[in-house]
Amino acid sequence: MPQNADPRAQQNAMHALYSDNHSWLYTWIRKRLDNQFDAADLTQDTFMRIHSRQEADKIHEPRAYLVTVAKGIISHFYRRKSLEDAYLEYVALLPDPVTRSQEHAHIVLQTLEQVDTLLNDLPHNVKKVFLMSQIEGKKYQEIADEMGLSLISIKRYMKQAYVQCLTLMEDDFFE
């Protein structure tokens, strides 16, 4: 929280923002989602995100600000749902003894979400090279030939992707 911010003013501004706009935001989100429960969750997530930033007293256009924050949260929701659906489709293809517990599924989904975020942070060619190597199982020379790049560039891209992965793993380890 900024040094000069008055906690009481913050609390009052957040309360006013919430009470004046909760129903409106819920309705706005509900029109964009498949069910009311997800809409209720994402509405709360939007207010929680704003509350955590502790800048409610600086918002001049509340609805525009709420929509901007909510759009990011909705985008994240759909990206996570897409990953979850793909994982569930994959698990459905496995024989029953391979099926894991709910806890294991949650851990896998959380990991997939982190990998997705990591990959989206990589430059396009680095991401493409990494996926061709790790998902498609292609050798570095095959990738170089297919993309019209030098073998050294492919190795450099892979190193960049691995460093990003290790950074993610290190961040998780020390949390």
Side-chain angles (χ1 to χ4, degrees), residues 57-71:
D57 60 333
K58 294 183 177 85
I59 298 172
H60 300 292
E61 296 291 331
R63 292 194 172 173
Y65 188 82
L66 287 166
V67 165
T68 301
V69 174
K71 282 181 179 178

Side-chain angles (χ1 to χ4, degrees), residues 30-144:
R30 175 69 180 96
K31 290 177 183 177
R32 286 150 183 82
L33 298 180
D34 293 335
N35 72 64
Q36 64 189 19
F37 303 109
D38 289 335
D41 286 346
L42 297 186
T43 301
Q44 288 306 111
D45 289 350
T46 301
F47 283 105
M48 290 303 295
R49 171 98 33 101
I50 293 167
H51 178 69
S52 70
R53 293 178 183 162
Q54 297 187 3
E55 294 185 348
D57 60 333
K58 294 183 177 85
I59 298 172
H60 300 292
E61 296 291 331
R63 292 194 172 173
Y65 188 82
L66 287 166
V67 165
T68 301
V69 174
K71 282 181 179 178
I73 288 172
I74 291 169
S75 174
H76 177 78
F77 170 80
Y78 278 121
R79 191 168 48 251
R80 180 173 173 83
K81 187 167 177 23
S82 174
L83 284 171
E84 184 174 339
D85 291 346
Y87 171 73
L88 292 174
E89 283 178 30
Y90 174 76
V91 169
L93 298 173
L94 298 174
D96 284 339
V98 179
T99 305
R100 305 289 185 196
S101 69
Q102 287 288 74
E103 181 182 4
H104 182 262
H106 177 74
I107 291 168
V108 169
L109 288 171
Q110 196 172 27
T111 303
L112 286 173
E113 186 177 359
Q114 289 174 329
V115 169
D116 180 58
T117 300
L118 172 136
L119 292 176
N120 286 333
D121 288 344
L122 292 173
H124 175 73
N125 278 349
V126 176
K127 177 180 177 178
K128 186 173 181 179
V129 166
F130 184 77
L131 291 174
M132 290 172 80
S133 170
Q134 299 302 303
I135 304 298
E136 298 175 26
K138 294 185 178 183
K139 305 281 185 215
Y140 289 1
Q141 189 60 58
E142 290 177 80
I143 298 169

